[in-house]
C-alpha cells in the first residue's frame, strides 16, 4: 500500500477521527516521508513515515524525542514562552506511545502542525538568519542541563568525521557498481583535507571540546519562522538530538545557509559562500549565546563549517558510489551533484577560513586559545 492510502488508517490509530480534507507531501527532507494533513475540522497535522533504513531503532529515537520535548516544554514555560508554539508536540497513539507501527512494519508518527510558520529552503533575509542562529543557540542552552547520558545514539557515529571519510574510502575501494573511476578526483579531494577536518574530532577525544546535547541536523529548513513576526520560533526535525559537538551544529547550519546555490545545484559556478549570511547567522548563534561556549568551542566554529561541509559531501559521494540507498534522490546522479556542490563550497570555505574565523572572534569578543 502506498503512503497516501495508509494515512487515514494511521490517523485512526492516533485517535484522529474527523476525516481528511487535504494531504500535501513535504519535499524538503532527504530521509523521512512527511505529509501535511488537514482534517475536516481544519486542524493540521504533520504525519511522517520514518525511514527504517536510516533509523535502525526508531523506538529509541522517539524515546529521545519524548523526553527532550517534555524537557523543552518546561524550560520554555520557565522562560515565559509558549511551549505549544516553540517546541514540537507529538501525539500518543492507541498503543500509548508517540509512534505507531502498522501491520506492514512501517513506522509512523504524528505531530501538531504549527500554522502561520514556515520552514524556508532558501534564505530570504539576514534578520531571519540572525533569528535562526539565536534559536539554534537557545536550543543548545535550554538543553545544557539535560541528563545527556540518558539519550540514545540514534545513528551511531553520526558526526564521526574520520569514520565518515573511512567509509567513503572503503566504498570507493569496494566500488560495487563501477562508479568509482568517474569520481577519483573527488575521492582525492577528501584525502587532501582529511587531516584538517578531523581536527575537531581529535580535540573532542583529547577532552578539549565538551560534549553537549546538540541537534546534529541544523539545516535552515529545520527551523520554523513565524509568518508575522519573522522570529525563529521552533526547532524541528529532532531525530538526531543526542550528545554532540556545538561546532557541528554551527557548521552544519552555516554550510546550508551561506551557499548561494541550492545544495544540489549542478552548475558549480553558482556555488559560492555568502559572507554576509555567515555574519548574520554567527551574530545570532554566538552573539546571542551570552558566553555559553568555551574558548576552544569558539576557536573551532569556523572549522566546524568546513568540517560539516566536507563530511556531508563524503556522505553524498559514498551513497552515490554504493547505489543511492540512504538519501532520497529524484534524478540519476543526484547524490553526485550534491557531493560536487558541497566539495566546491568546502573549497571556497577553506580560502575564506581566515575571514570566517575573524568574524567569529569579533562576534564573540574572544581570541584564539
Ligand atoms: C539529511 O533529514 P534532512 O533532510 O533534514 C541528513 C543530514 C544531512 C542532510 C543534507 C538523518 O537531513 O545529516 O546533513 O540530509 N539527515 C540524516 O541535506 O542523515
Ligand atoms: Mg533530518
Amino acid at each position: 500500500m502506498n503512503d497516501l492510502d495508509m494515512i487515514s488508517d494511521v490517523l485512526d490509530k492516533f485517535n484522529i477521527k474527523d476525516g481528511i480534507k487535504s494531504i500535501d507531501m513535504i519535499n524538503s527532507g532527504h530521509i523521512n516521508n512527511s505529509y501535511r494533513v488537514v482534517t475536516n475540522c481544519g486542524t493540521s497535522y504533520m504525519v511522517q513515515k520514518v525511514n527504517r533504513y536510516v533509523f535502525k531503532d526508531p523506538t529509541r529515537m522517539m524515546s529521545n524525542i519524548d523526553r527532550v520535548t517534555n524537557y523543552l516544554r518546561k524550560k520554555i514555560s520557565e522562560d515565559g514562552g509558549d511551549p505549544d508554539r516553540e517546541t514540537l508536540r507529538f501525539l500518543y497513539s492507541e498503543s500509548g506511545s508517540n509512534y505507531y507501527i502498522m501491520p506492514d512494519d512501517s513506522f509512523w508518527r504524528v505531530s501538531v502542525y504549527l500554522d502561520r510558520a514556515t520552514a524556508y529552503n532558501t534564505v530570504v533575509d539576514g534578520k531571519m538568519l540572525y533569528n535562526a542562529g539565536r534559536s539554534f543557540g537557545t536550543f543548545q542552552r535550554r538543553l545544557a542541563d539535560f541528563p545527556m547520558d540518558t539519550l540514545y545514539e540514534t545513528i551511531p557515529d553520526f558526526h564521526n568525521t574520520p569514520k565518515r571519510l573511512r567509509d567513503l574510502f572503503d566504498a570507493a575501494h569496494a566500488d560495487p557498481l563501477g562508479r568509482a573511476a568517474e569520481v577519483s578526483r573527488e575521492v582525492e579531494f577528501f584525502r587532501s583535507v582529511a587531516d584538517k577536518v578531523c581536527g575537531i574530532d581529535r580535540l573532542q577525544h583529547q577532552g578539549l571540546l565538551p560534549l553537549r546535547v546538540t541537534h546534529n541536523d541544523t539545516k535552515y529548513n529545520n527551523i520554523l519562522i513565524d509568518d508575522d513576526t519573522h522570529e525563529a520560533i521552533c526547532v524541528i526535525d529532532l531525530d538526531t538530538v543526542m550528545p554532540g559537538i556545538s561546532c557541528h551544529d554551527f557548521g552544519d547550519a552555516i554550510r546550508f545557509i551561506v551557499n548561494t546555490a541550492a545544495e544540489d545545484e549542478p552548475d558549480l559556478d553558482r556555488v559560492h559562500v555568502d559572507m554576509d549570511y555567515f555574519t548574520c547567522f554567527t551574530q545570532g548563534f554566538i552573539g546571542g549565546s551570552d558566553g555559553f561556549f568555551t574558548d576552544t568551542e569558539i576557536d573551532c566554529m569556523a572549522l566546524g563549517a568546513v568540517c560539516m561541509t566536507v563530511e556531508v559531501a563524503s556522505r553524498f559521494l559514498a551513497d552515490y558510489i554504493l547505489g543511492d540507498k540512504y538519501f532520497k534522490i529524484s534524478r540519476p546522479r543526484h547524490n553526485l551533484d550534491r557531493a560536487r556542490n558541497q566539495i566546491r563550497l568546502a573549497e571556497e570555505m577553506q580560502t575564506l577560513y581566515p575571514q570566517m574565523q575573524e568574524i567569529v572572534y569579533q562576534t564573540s569578543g574572544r581570541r584564539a586559545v
Side-chain angles (χ1 to χ4, degrees):
M1 215 195 270
N2 72 31
D3 288 359
L4 292 181
D5 293 334
M6 277 180 103
I7 284 180
S8 114
D9 286 350
V10 170
L11 290 184
D12 198 55
K13 301 297 181 196
F14 286 87
N15 209 22
I16 300 166
K17 315 268 186 197
D18 39 335
I20 296 172
K21 187 162 143 203
S22 63
I23 303 179
D24 289 304
M25 181 155 194
I26 295 167
N27 285 317
S28 52
H30 296 342
I31 307 292
N32 299 318
N33 293 0
S34 306
Y35 304 90
R36 179 186 183 178
V37 177
V38 182
T39 67
N40 286 326
C41 299
T43 314
S44 304
Y45 297 97
M46 175 73 102
V47 179
Q48 289 182 299
K49 183 166 93 171
V50 172
N51 184 325
R52 300 198 77 155
Y53 178 83
V54 168
F55 296 103
K56 304 292 185 211
D57 190 347
T59 60
R60 290 185 159 200
M61 171 177 84
M62 294 311 292
S63 159
N64 280 1
I65 289 178
D66 196 42
R67 282 174 305 125
V68 164
T69 51
N70 284 331
Y71 187 90
L72 284 173
R73 295 180 88 77
K74 267 193 270 151
K75 288 278 172 190
I76 293 164
S77 298
E78 283 165 21
D79 289 349
D82 175 359
D84 279 332
R85 204 140 169 82
E86 294 175 43
T87 191
L88 292 175
R89 189 157 71 81
F90 285 88
L91 273 56
Y92 291 88
S93 69
E94 62 179 34
S95 65
S97 44
N98 57 353
Y99 58 85
Y100 195 85
I101 301 174
M102 295 297 276
D104 68 350
D105 230 26
S106 56
F107 191 102
W108 293 82
R109 64 186 177 196
V110 178
S111 56
V112 176
Y113 193 97
L114 287 184
D115 286 315
R116 300 187 343 274
T118 304
Y120 289 88
N121 287 311
T122 48
V123 175
V124 184
D125 75 39
K127 181 78 175 115
M128 285 192 204
L129 267 191
Y130 172 87
N131 291 340
R134 265 195 99 97
S135 198
F136 277 128
T138 303
F139 181 84
Q140 281 195 12
R141 268 212 316 286
R142 281 186 172 144
L143 290 170
D145 296 324
F146 186 92
M148 186 158 57
D149 298 346
T150 66
L151 285 175
Y152 294 111
E153 200 179 359
T154 54
I155 300 181
D157 294 314
F158 192 57
H159 285 320
N160 180 340
T161 311
K163 177 156 191 319
R164 291 293 191 183
L165 295 181
R166 275 199 306 278
D167 288 350
L168 168 68
F169 300 141
D170 288 350
H173 183 70
D175 193 20
L177 301 170
R179 292 180 173 181
E182 70 174 310
V183 299
S184 56
R185 206 185 59 83
E186 284 77 9
V187 173
E188 232 4 83
F189 164 81
F190 292 102
R191 293 195 196 284
S192 72
V193 294
D195 188 55
K196 180 168 186 193
V197 298
C198 292
I200 291 183
D201 192 79
R202 278 195 298 274
L203 286 172
Q204 197 271 314
H205 277 98
Q206 289 162 10
L208 298 172
L209 275 176
L211 277 181
R212 300 186 183 280
V213 178
T214 47
H215 182 277
N216 295 304
D217 188 3
T218 46
K219 259 158 81 165
Y220 189 49
N221 59 16
N222 280 333
I223 197 147
L224 295 178
I225 313 272
D226 189 290
D227 290 345
D228 304 321
T229 63
H230 292 177
E231 289 293 331
I233 46 167
C234 183
V235 173
I236 59 173
D237 191 353
L238 306 176
D239 299 352
T240 49
V241 173
M242 53 187 163
I245 300 174
S246 57
C247 327
H248 285 160
D249 271 8
F250 175 78
D252 200 23
I254 289 293
R255 75 151 187 97
F256 192 84
I257 282 163
V258 301
N259 195 342
T260 52
E263 184 187 62
D264 59 354
E265 170 61 58
D267 178 358
L268 299 186
D269 288 342
R270 302 173 83 160
V271 176
H272 293 291
V273 174
D274 186 317
M275 289 303 284
D276 289 338
Y277 285 169
F278 181 90
T279 304
C280 291
F281 186 85
T282 303
Q283 286 174 345
F285 190 86
I286 298 176
S289 73
D290 300 329
F292 175 72
F293 299 113
T294 67
D295 286 351
T296 311
E297 284 176 299
I298 292 291
D299 207 29
C300 287
M301 291 292 176
L303 181 58
V306 184
C307 171
M308 282 295 94
T309 310
V310 169
E311 186 186 282
V312 82
S314 76
R315 295 170 60 198
F316 286 143
L317 192 63
D319 201 29
Y320 174 70
I321 294 172
L322 296 175
D324 306 306
K325 294 191 168 67
Y326 187 99
F327 295 105
K328 285 191 214 169
I329 54 168
S330 48
R331 58 178 187 257
R333 301 160 75 86
H334 201 165
N335 275 318
L336 179 57
D337 287 343
R338 289 169 174 152
R340 288 184 167 150
N341 176 307
Q342 295 294 294
I343 289 172
R344 171 59 65 89
L345 190 68
E347 284 171 340
E348 195 170 305
M349 277 183 181
Q350 282 186 287
T351 314
L352 291 167
Y353 177 77
Q355 278 147 268
M356 296 200 294
Q357 191 71 307
E358 188 55 33
I359 292 166
V360 169
Y361 287 147
Q362 274 179 14
T363 306
S364 64
R366 286 187 262 169
R367 284 279 142 191
V369 286

